[in-house]
Amino acid sequence: MSKADLIVGLQWGDEGKGKIVDHMAQTHDYVCRFAGGHNAGHTIVIGDKKYALHLIPSGVLNPNAKNIVGNGVVLSPKDFIKEMDQFDNLEGRLFLSDKAHVLLPYHAQIDQARERLKGDKAIGTTGKGIGPAYGDKVARVGHRLGELLHPEKLTAKIMEFFAINKPVFDAMGVEAPVESELLAELQGYRDALGTYICDTTQMMWEIMDADKKILLEGAQGTMLDIDHGTYPYVTSSTTVSAGACSGLGLNPKDLGKVTGIAKAYCTRVGNGPFPSEDFGAEGDKLRENGHEFGTTTGRPRRCGWFDAVAMRHAVRVNGVDQVALMKLDVLDGFDEIKVCVAYEFKGKEINYVPYDLEDVKPIYKSFPGWDKTEGVRVFDDLPETAKSYILALEEMIGTKMGIISTSPEREDTIIR
């Protein structure tokens, strides 16, 4: 029986997982998404064409790979269908779990209303409805993708849900759907997606028993995990490697090699603590060089230096076997490159991630910069200062940088 290799983000999301999933998908039979919703965003560049993926696994760009969306995902049919339009016939290459929860337009209305009511205490969500959809799931009032196959029954359940919660929705300014319009909408989703909906748990077990090569694709990053991230400024799903088990119906013994993805610096979207954020000209330069604007939201990302403390935390939580270091070329041209090596917390120096990151201050170590790494494909061809930087990061986090990306292009990748 085969084991499933896993790719997981190690920072605050946006690490460049899409490129590495695309790279590794060339040698895998199946690529499987296990968590998150269309708040995730992968940008993949192949030649002169750019693809923006939010829900469809990145293996879609390998014509020989099949793609599974697992039960741990919350799926917006409207957005999924729009995303499918980028590709030709996906039948036989795409499978959706009948146990994945459905995210409908009213979830986004609830999400945006809650953020408005919080005012300056807003979390900074994408407003896509991810939190409310996961909230309904946990509260046992959600609806699963398999229910789309029976739109009349699902319509009745949703209308009943709105009737029961009318005072709450009225207070939030969330309008109940018109029953006839809702039914027509759900029927359209059934017609577009019905042939893709199946029992993916059984499918996962069957393909593992058949020794297929399987790659599991995470969304967001470790520091946004609902349990292990900077709560409450997190996403609503389990983003760490353990989430692949519950999100696809696997057990821990089914997991193979874990590759963690990290940028050569750090970014974050939305509110919440970010210890190594740079508020000055260097942060602006990182944003400009790295084109740091959200694939999903278009929002400018907050930028800062590599945080080795948070990275050690993420490596341990995920059981990382190797790190893929992304966007090394973004650091080209900096005279000095800083790394957060410890935190100052309540007057003491610490080397771990505490309960609350709001009160920590970064302690930096500086490294000399370099001229150019863009497009380099062999480790020994990198500038000596870039090699020294990478080796120092390995020492700090206790894991090898097995893959190094030097541009968005698929082939500009160093394999060590």
Side-chain angles (χ1 to χ4, degrees):
M1 188 177 80
S2 64
K3 290 185 179 291
D5 294 329
L6 172 65
I7 288 179
V8 64
L10 298 180
Q11 294 165 319
W12 280 271
D14 308 310
E15 300 96 347
K17 294 182 289 296
K19 176 179 175 177
I20 298 303
V21 174
D22 171 61
H23 181 85
M24 294 179 69
Q26 309 309 309
T27 58
H28 285 75
D29 301 310
Y30 286 82
V31 180
C32 312
R33 171 84 175 267
F34 64 81
H38 65 301
N39 57 335
H42 297 324
T43 301
I44 300 172
V45 179
I46 300 176
D48 60 355
K49 191 151 188 183
K50 184 184 289 188
Y51 298 89
L53 302 177
H54 302 277
L55 281 161
I56 297 177
S58 302
V60 71
L61 299 174
N62 172 10
N64 298 314
K66 296 181 179 180
N67 301 270
I68 294 175
V69 176
N71 57 274
V73 171
V74 290
L75 188 143
S76 165
K78 177 182 176 182
D79 292 279
F80 195 86
I81 293 165
K82 182 179 178 182
E83 194 169 329
M84 289 171 66
D85 289 341
Q86 295 179 90
F87 306 99
D88 295 329
N89 183 26
L90 291 172
E91 210 157 321
R93 294 190 56 220
L94 180 64
F95 307 90
L96 310 179
S97 172
D98 52 9
K99 296 191 289 290
H101 273 247
V102 178
L103 188 157
L104 292 170
Y106 67 83
H107 288 116
Q109 292 180 42
I110 294 168
D111 197 356
Q112 293 160 22
R114 286 176 179 168
E115 287 287 271
R116 282 196 306 271
L117 291 169
K118 288 175 184 173
D120 60 4
K121 292 183 171 58
I123 291 172
T125 75
T126 59
K128 303 285 185 182
I130 310 301
Y134 274 114
D136 282 357
K137 175 180 179 176
V138 175
R140 297 165 295 181
V141 295
H143 303 288
R144 303 196 288 183
L145 212 52
E147 295 179 64
L148 276 184
L149 302 178
H150 309 283
E152 292 82 4
K153 285 173 96 174
L154 181 53
T155 298
K157 288 180 180 179
I158 293 172
M159 296 308 298
E160 182 183 11
F161 174 71
F162 268 88
I164 292 169
N165 293 280
K166 187 177 187 305
V168 176
F169 289 137
D170 285 348
M172 294 176 71
V174 175
E175 293 184 8
V178 176
E179 186 170 355
S180 60
E181 293 176 359
L182 176 62
L183 176 59
E185 180 183 358
L186 297 179
Q187 287 172 332
Y189 295 157
R190 176 201 58 193
D191 295 344
L193 300 177
T195 57
Y196 301 98
I197 298 171
C198 62
D199 185 339
T200 58
T201 304
Q202 290 295 325
M203 188 177 181
M204 289 296 302
W205 296 348
E206 289 169 5
I207 63 178
M208 295 194 80
D209 289 344
D211 281 331
K212 298 296 184 182
K213 292 200 71 178
I214 302 164
L215 184 63
L216 312 182
E217 177 183 18
Q220 285 89 38
T222 297
M223 299 308 292
L224 295 176
D225 182 84
I226 188 69
D227 286 299
H228 301 288
T230 52
Y231 191 89
Y233 300 98
V234 293
T235 193
S236 299
S237 59
T238 301
T239 64
V240 297
S241 57
C245 294
S246 58
L248 285 163
L250 304 179
N251 69 65
K253 294 177 183 176
D254 291 328
L255 299 184
K257 188 173 187 177
V258 179
T259 299
I261 315 297
K263 284 176 181 168
Y265 52 102
C266 276
T267 64
R268 177 166 194 167
V269 171
N271 301 331
F274 180 10
S276 63
E277 184 171 8
D278 189 291
F279 297 95
E282 290 176 318
D284 292 339
K285 185 176 179 180
L286 287 170
R287 186 178 304 105
E288 182 181 343
N289 288 2
H291 308 290
E292 293 295 354
F293 299 88
T295 302
T296 298
T297 63
R299 288 184 291 182
R301 295 177 184 137
R302 300 157 63 190
C303 295
W305 302 106
F306 190 93
D307 187 335
V309 184
M311 188 63 57
R312 280 196 302 271
H313 172 86
V315 164
R316 183 68 176 86
V317 166
N318 289 289
V320 171
D321 295 301
Q322 67 167 354
V323 171
L325 189 70
M326 310 302 294
K327 303 184 85 164
L328 181 67
D329 54 299
V330 172
L331 298 179
D332 290 359
F334 280 87
D335 295 327
E336 177 190 47
I337 295 166
K338 292 188 279 190
V339 176
C340 175
V341 296
Y343 297 147
E344 182 184 322
F345 182 62
K346 297 182 178 179
K348 295 181 180 178
E349 182 176 321
I350 63 171
N351 61 0
Y352 62 89
V353 175
Y355 165 78
D356 187 358
L357 275 176
E358 292 279 10
D359 296 324
V360 305
K361 295 179 181 178
I363 297 173
Y364 288 117
K365 180 177 180 179
S366 293
F367 294 83
W370 53 81
D371 291 330
K372 189 174 185 291
T373 64
E374 184 180 2
V376 175
R377 299 180 182 180
V378 178
F379 184 76
D380 287 342
D381 291 344
L382 290 171
E384 288 301 320
T385 47
K387 286 192 279 189
S388 297
Y389 176 72
I390 292 164
L391 295 175
L393 296 186
E394 287 183 337
E395 185 75 22
M396 291 176 201
I397 68 173
T399 305
K400 182 178 179 178
M401 302 291 182
I403 302 171
I404 300 161
S405 174
T406 58
S407 95
E409 294 291 338
R410 177 188 274 177
E411 301 304 323
D412 290 341
T413 306
I414 297 169
I415 307 296
R416 293 176 68 211

